[in-house]
Each structure stands twice: as C-alpha cells, then as structure tokens.
C-alpha cells in the first residue's frame, strides 16, 4: 500500500498544480524523484511532525491541496493538536496518509504503534476516514481525496485482503434473510471470512468507516451486528448506535484491546493476542451469536 501511495501521489504532483506533499523524513527517500522535479511542492521539514501539520494548514489556506505523511503515531497521535487547530479550527483540509497502522511496526515498540488513531480523529469534526484493505483500493481513494478540500485520513497497512473491493458497505457473503451482520473494516475482511466460513451470517465490508453508511447498515441489520475493526475496539460504536438508534439490536465491537502489549512479536502475534486472528474472531463471534 505504501508503494502505491507514493506512485499515486507522485502522479498527482505531475497532473495537478494544487497538489503538495509535506513530509517529516519518513518516506523522504521514496519521494526524492518528485522532490527534484517539484522542489516548491514537495517539502521535507525533518523530524517535526507538528510542524508538518502546521505547514499543511498554511498551504491549504493558499488554495493548495496538501498531502502529509508519516507513521500513524507521529502524524495523528503526536500532531493531534495541530490537526485540531491548524486544519480543523481554520476550517481547511488536507489528506493525511499514515503507515504503521495499529502494530505493523510491531518490533519497534509502542512508540510506533497507534491503535487509537481513528478514535482520536473521531473527537474532531469533519474528517473522512479510509481504511483500505488492498493496495488496489488506495489509488481511487487518494484521487477522490485530491479533488476536494475536505479533511481526509487514509490509513495504510501491511496487512491486506486477498482481493480489492469498492469499499462502500458492500455485502461480500450473504446469509439468510435476517441473518446476523458481521461488518469488517479494511484488512479485517479476510480474517472475518475465514472465521465465519461455516456460520450463517452476512459478511459486509467497508474501507470508509467515516462517515459510516448508516442507511446501508440499517437495510442490512435485523437484530445482531458485529463490527470488526483493525484499531481500538469500540471506535465505531457511536456511529453504529446512531445508525440503529430506533431498531432493537445487539452489538459486539471487536478490535485492538486497551491493554498495552509489552512483548513485541510479529504483527500476527499481536493480532492473536487481541483476538483478531481467525481463531480469536471465531471464538468471540460464535459466543456472541450463541448467547
């Protein structure tokens, strides 16, 4: 996904004079060719993520469409105040593109983990959040973001599904009429499909959890809904509750737990610890539906 982001954004720099890229050292080497061709629109501010967000806000005020990029804990957690003020308070937009996700850089330790990035942006107004599940989903999301002036967050990951989808609350596997709905966000689709292979459920996919397609969810949910997200468990609980506010329903929200994992194994080890692998998801979803 990261390579696809670099290629797509480099092409946008050639096509659209409004496009700008602001970096804080991360991926600066990948953007060297673009920087040599567009030194006025590809800026590396060094290891200063708050400044990166501030510069993006300034560029947006001049009519530019800035893309800013780093690891999720640096571009969201660390620069949260600047995203809040230099973008949101000034009512300007930018495209924030992160790598690292919740624990892709698992062996780098908790400094490089960001299970709470989407939950942080949930506290701010006017953000669209994309969580692609396949590299082929990345270019159309970036190109659509380049054509407007909204505040957009694109969360890239090394975890990916085997197939790309459109991403707007699409039913991937249909259960019986009234079957429980399992909503998988981004790269959680493949683990969910494996975990529920012999369950009579409707598996639904989205790569755009913000804004959540409330009308689409209402059409699908009869009573039980399970939401599986690759970040902090319960991040989408408010939006799901609002979408189904007048419908009697049960909800289970699965994702990364709040307890810090201090043993830094592989990403797969973290997924297993948080119950986000096939075995853990099968256990949690099966127990919920059987209750």
């Amino acid at each position: 996904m990261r390579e696809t982001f670099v290629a797509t954004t480099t092409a946008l720099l050639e096509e659209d004079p409004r496009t700008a890229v602001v970096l804080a050292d991360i991926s600066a080497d990948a953007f060297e060719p673009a920087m040599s061709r567009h030194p006025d629109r590809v800026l590396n501010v060094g290891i200063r993520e708050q400044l990166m967000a501030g510069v993006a806000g300034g560029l947006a005020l001049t009519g530019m469409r800035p893309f800013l990029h780093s690891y999720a804990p640096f571009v969201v957690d660390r620069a949260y105040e600047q995203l809040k003020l230099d973008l949101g308070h000034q009512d300007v937009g930018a495209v924030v593109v992160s790598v690292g996700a919740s624990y892709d850089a698992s062996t780098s330790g908790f400094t490089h983990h960001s299970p709470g990035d989407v939950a942080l942006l949930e506290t701010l107004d006017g953000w669209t959040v994309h969580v692609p599940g396949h590299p082929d989903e990345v270019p159309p999301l970036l190109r659509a973001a380049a054509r407007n002036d909204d505040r957009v967050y694109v969360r890239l990951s090394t975890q990916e599904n085997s197939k790309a989808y459109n991403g707007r609350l699409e039913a991937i596997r249909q259960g019986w009429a009234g079957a429980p709905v399992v909503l998988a966000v981004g790269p959680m689709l493949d683990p969910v499909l494996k975990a529920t292979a012999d369950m009579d459920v409707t598996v639904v996919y989205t790569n755009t959890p913000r804004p959540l397609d409330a009308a689409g969810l209402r059409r699908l949910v009869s009573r039980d809904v399970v939401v599986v997200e690759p970040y902090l468990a319960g991040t989408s609980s408010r939006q799901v509750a609002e979408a189904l506010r007048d419908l009697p329903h049960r909800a289970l929200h699965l994702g990364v737990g709040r307890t810090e994992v201090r043993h830094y194994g592989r990403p797969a080890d973290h997924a297993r610890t948080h119950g986000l692998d096939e075995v853990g998801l099968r256990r949690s979803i099966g127990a919920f539906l059987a209750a």
Side-chain angles (χ1 to χ4, degrees):
M1 292 189 194
R2 189 177 190 172
E3 289 77 9
T4 305
F5 153 65
V6 173
T8 304
T9 310
T10 298
L12 286 169
L13 285 163
E14 298 291 339
E15 300 165 12
D16 187 351
R18 284 207 323 147
T19 303
V21 175
V22 190
L23 305 170
D25 266 5
I26 299 298
S27 297
D29 54 343
F31 278 100
E32 276 185 2
M35 190 179 299
S36 66
R37 290 195 298 273
H38 308 285
D40 56 332
R41 290 192 287 128
V42 182
L43 311 173
N44 182 9
V45 301
I47 308 174
R48 301 174 180 87
E49 288 82 7
Q50 294 98 327
L51 175 61
M52 175 174 64
V55 168
L59 289 170
L61 284 170
T62 71
M64 302 292 286
R65 186 56 168 159
F67 286 68
L68 52 157
H69 163 69
S70 188
Y71 274 82
F74 307 152
V75 74
V76 177
D77 302 44
R78 183 176 296 170
Y80 171 80
E81 183 180 12
Q82 284 67 39
L83 299 179
K84 171 185 172 182
L85 299 178
D86 296 345
L87 295 179
H89 184 61
Q90 296 190 124
D91 197 22
V92 293
V95 186
V96 179
V97 183
S98 74
V99 293
S102 292
Y103 40 70
D104 285 355
S106 56
T107 57
S108 296
F110 204 52
T111 57
H112 284 60
H113 301 180
S114 185
D117 55 344
V118 178
L120 277 172
L121 292 179
E122 178 72 0
T123 67
L124 302 177
D125 182 44
W127 281 87
T128 294
V129 176
H130 298 303
V131 185
H134 189 278
D136 289 349
E137 296 173 15
V138 175
L141 293 175
L142 293 175
R143 288 187 169 277
R147 291 193 295 267
N148 62 62
D149 290 306
D150 298 338
R151 291 180 286 280
V152 179
Y153 180 49
V154 183
R155 189 185 204 255
L156 307 182
S157 178
T158 57
Q159 184 180 354
E160 60 186 60
N161 302 318
S162 57
K163 181 180 175 183
Y165 295 90
N166 292 330
R168 284 285 186 173
L169 214 66
E170 177 181 359
I172 306 301
R173 180 192 295 154
Q174 192 72 50
W176 58 278
V181 169
V182 182
L183 172 58
V185 176
M188 297 312 305
L189 177 60
D190 274 10
V192 164
L193 287 172
K194 293 175 183 177
T196 62
D198 59 354
M199 297 182 188
D200 198 351
V201 299
T202 294
V203 177
V204 179
Y205 173 70
T206 186
N207 63 19
T208 304
R210 300 291 180 282
L212 184 66
D213 182 356
L217 189 64
R218 286 175 62 87
R219 285 193 297 269
L220 292 166
V221 172
S222 294
R223 189 172 79 101
D224 292 339
V225 59
V226 180
V227 181
V228 185
E229 300 175 285
Y231 33 77
L232 196 64
T235 296
S236 289
S237 57
R238 181 184 65 83
Q239 295 218 3
V240 170
E242 289 183 356
L244 306 177
R245 62 187 178 276
D246 57 342
L247 301 178
H249 68 280
R250 297 191 312 150
L252 174 66
H253 292 269
L254 301 176
V256 179
R258 293 178 180 272
T259 301
E260 179 183 342
V261 178
R262 296 176 179 270
H263 299 285
Y264 301 132
R266 299 168 303 157
D269 297 320
H270 285 255
R272 182 170 57 252
T273 298
H274 291 290
L276 293 178
D277 63 338
E278 176 184 346
V279 174
L281 291 171
R282 181 179 178 80
R283 180 174 58 247
S284 297
I285 296 172
F288 173 72
L289 298 181

